Amino acid sequence: MSKVIVIGCGGVATVGIVKCCQHPEVFEELCIASRTVSKCDALKEKLQPNTKTKISTAQIDAYDFNALCKLFKEFKADMILNLGLPYQNLIIMDACLACGCHYLDTAAYEPENVDEPVWRKRYEQRVKEKNFHAYFDYSYQWEYRKKFEDAGLVCILGCGFDPGVTQAYVAYAKKHEFDTIDTLDILDCNGGTNPYPFATNFNPEINLREVSSPAAYMVDGKWITVPALSIKREYNFDEVGMKDMYLLHHEEIEAIGATFPEIKRIRFYMTFSQSYINHMMCLKDCGMLEAKPVMFEGREIIPIQFLKKMLPDPATLGAVTKGYTNIGCIFTGKKDGKEKKYYIYNCCSHEESYKETGLQGVSYTTGVPAMCGAMMVLTGKWNTPGVHTVEELNPDPFIEALDKYGLPKRESYNPVMVD
Ligand code: NDP
């Protein structure tokens, strides 16, 4: 029986909240706290009649440490689910330490302002030393390890699908299928369609930054960086069919590489249509993906935030998105001295996600693992104090919960490999 605050009330948070409310035996009281409180109130109104979880709401600016502490203390929160944006991860982690709350998020810390001089200096050093160009970077959150250990609190980073479930799949493969893993390809396919010429299926700012940045993969613990969208493959996905996919730098590569240095090569591919790429590159070339403020008619605007305003809100795509997502991990390695291949993945129907939660599959595949991860912490199954990425934790109860609560695994022992 626990008291939980969810920060954010967008697509991912809404699914997480709907799923928490299906388990009042774990989530006894839930506070929905976000920047726009009217969204929290509307969700409460919709859910409260059908759940025993007691729901309240609060307005919060997650950049405001004192306001966070006041809310966490007044509510007497056991755990904070940060399902808003990654920009505020460190502030919310600080507030959790100050108030004795466990913590979970779904995306690695990255700053909103990538020109902030102290952050920029460290970033440029990292680019030079490690050839690691992404703005997101677990090192900032890993620096909190001792603080969470000393406080006896559990902090789970990146507990969506990817990052998140993909890392549980790696831990599961290592525990049950392999003595050693040699290579890992993470494949993320959104086979969903909607009527819009261009829409992102989660927060556009985070999504477009990720896709338009240099791509990277890891070989023997070292980063190999290549231009954005320069490595393309085709793959035939279960429930979806043949799709183009592109190598991307994705945050779980850093975590998996650190926890399983035996894996010689780690790559991440995501599917995009040619139309999506054409739109994105055109917007990039026009400067619309810039996060730096520009003056427009006497006032400052941030181009990517203006663009976000003009694009469909991902939280409203549910009703019009059809098809499946298919996300998983393909491994090569050895078991009992023999070479082996293994593919573990999940297929999620956008239409079924919408029927159950009012949201499309990408919000669903992120919100369900967030709820399951919180459930692991609150029921004592993941109880080691400290800061953890998901591949460090026991995968079995988590994957069992995913199987039961909406994201069952599928397996293949003879998958087609990515060359
Ligand atoms: P949305 O933009 O739909 O939602 C973000 C929410 O955070 C909104 O409710 C927003 O409020 C709120 N918010 C933003 N800034 C603040 C602030 N300063 N204080 C309080 N609340 C704030 O994003 P999504 O739901 O699509 O994505 C949520 C997170 O999930 C992102 O970090 C994304 O990277 C991550 N993600 C992870 C995936 C995974 O598999 N691991 C996959 C997909 C997404 P308002 O309503 O006022 O805008």
Side-chain angles (χ1 to χ4, degrees):
M1 298 288 232
S2 315
K3 296 177 102 177
V4 169
I5 297 175
V6 174
I7 296 185
C9 194
V12 171
T14 299
V15 171
I17 292 160
V18 169
K19 298 301 283 191
C20 288
C21 290
Q22 293 173 0
H23 301 280
E25 71 289 357
V26 178
F27 302 92
E28 189 188 14
E29 281 189 47
L30 193 82
C31 175
I32 311 171
S34 191
R35 184 166 53 189
T36 312
V37 74
S38 56
K39 290 188 192 170
C40 312
D41 292 337
L43 187 58
K44 175 187 165 178
E45 203 171 304
K46 191 169 144 202
L47 297 178
Q48 191 62 90
N50 301 311
T51 179
K52 289 202 173 97
T53 299
K54 189 173 160 215
I55 306 172
S56 56
T57 63
Q59 199 282 329
I60 194 77
D61 175 4
Y63 275 122
D64 185 341
F65 172 79
N66 291 328
L68 288 168
C69 288
K70 186 166 179 282
L71 175 68
F72 295 2
K73 281 191 183 140
E74 279 177 7
F75 187 71
K76 297 192 176 68
D78 299 298
M79 183 163 190
I80 309 303
L81 308 191
N82 173 13
L83 307 184
L85 300 182
Y87 307 144
Q88 295 107 17
N89 288 3
L90 305 181
I91 300 166
I92 300 173
M93 286 168 72
D94 282 325
C96 283
L97 286 167
C99 302
C101 308
H102 303 300
Y103 170 92
L104 177 146
D105 65 34
T106 62
Y109 171 68
E110 61 182 87
E112 189 160 12
N113 174 9
V114 294
D115 291 314
E116 193 281 310
V118 176
W119 181 87
R120 192 79 207 177
K121 194 167 166 222
R122 181 162 156 180
Y123 170 78
E124 277 163 11
Q125 181 97 355
R126 169 160 62 78
V127 172
K128 214 159 73 193
E129 285 171 5
K130 296 191 179 166
N131 196 20
F132 176 164
H133 293 250
Y135 292 145
F136 49 76
D137 169 2
Y138 277 120
S139 70
Y140 288 88
Q141 290 179 275
W142 282 337
E143 282 167 8
Y144 282 69
R145 275 183 173 141
K146 187 155 178 350
K147 288 185 194 167
F148 272 86
E149 277 165 26
D150 291 349
L153 294 170
V154 182
C155 170
I156 310 289
L157 306 182
C159 198
F161 207 105
D162 48 335
V165 178
T166 49
Q167 287 142 281
Y169 284 167
V170 178
Y172 184 88
K174 175 69 184 173
K175 188 168 174 183
H176 299 290
E177 300 291 343
F178 290 97
D179 296 325
T180 50
I181 299 173
D182 293 329
T183 68
L184 162 63
D185 282 326
I186 302 167
L187 309 190
D188 176 333
C189 165
N190 179 9
T193 56
N194 63 55
Y196 296 105
F198 184 66
T200 64
N201 39 51
F202 70 95
N203 182 282
E205 213 175 316
I206 307 290
N207 182 239
L208 293 169
R209 252 194 201 188
E210 173 179 281
V211 180
S212 59
S213 298
Y217 59 107
M218 197 179 257
V219 175
D220 293 327
K222 303 236 160 17
W223 292 102
I224 315 278
T225 300
V226 296
L229 306 172
S230 60
I231 298 183
K232 175 181 168 187
R233 298 283 184 271
E234 276 194 321
Y235 201 81
N236 196 359
F237 288 92
D238 195 6
E239 303 285 3
V240 175
M242 204 56 116
K243 284 275 173 190
D244 291 341
M245 59 183 191
Y246 295 83
L247 188 102
L248 281 195
H249 184 162
H250 221 247
E251 61 205 61
E252 64 263 53
I253 302 176
E254 185 187 10
I256 296 166
T259 307
F260 294 103
E262 72 183 44
I263 308 179
K264 295 186 183 77
R265 190 192 66 203
I266 309 172
R267 301 184 298 193
F268 181 101
Y269 286 93
M270 193 178 272
T271 62
F272 300 105
S273 67
Q274 195 54 49
S275 163
Y276 180 98
I277 290 170
N278 292 347
H279 277 85
M280 189 189 75
M281 292 319 282
C282 174
L283 291 164
K284 185 176 186 201
D285 291 342
C286 297
M288 289 306 293
L289 305 190
E290 288 296 326
K292 261 188 231 165
V294 292
M295 290 307 287
F296 177 71
E297 295 190 345
R299 57 173 295 216
E300 264 192 359
I301 61 161
I302 296 177
I304 194 159
Q305 285 182 5
F306 177 70
L307 174 64
K308 181 180 175 207
K309 192 85 197 150
M310 300 306 292
L311 291 175
D313 178 353
T316 63
L317 293 178
V320 292
T321 307
K322 311 265 175 265
Y324 279 81
T325 66
N326 176 326
I327 317 172
C329 298
I330 302 181
F331 304 88
T332 63
K334 291 170 202 72
K335 180 77 175 171
D336 302 327
K338 286 195 196 120
E339 302 281 342
K340 179 172 175 180
K341 298 190 279 186
Y342 175 62
Y343 187 13
I344 177 169
Y345 61 100
N346 163 266
C347 296
C348 175
S349 153
H350 287 289
E351 284 111 313
E352 291 300 318
S353 304
Y354 180 68
K355 256 193 243 160
E356 186 187 338
T357 64
L359 276 297
Q360 40 85 18
V362 174
S363 303
Y364 191 89
T365 53
T366 313
V368 173
M371 180 282 285
C372 291
M375 187 183 255
M376 294 300 103
V377 174
L378 296 168
T379 56
K381 295 193 176 78
W382 286 352
N383 61 3
T384 310
V387 176
H388 309 285
T389 37
V390 174
E391 80 292 338
E392 295 174 65
L393 300 157
N394 180 5
D396 293 345
F398 182 56
I399 289 180
E400 201 181 300
L402 293 165
D403 282 344
K404 261 204 244 165
Y405 303 133
L407 297 172
K409 65 179 176 308
R410 300 187 188 187
E411 294 166 284
S412 159
Y413 289 85
N414 192 23
V416 173
M417 303 305 294
V418 181
D419 64 25

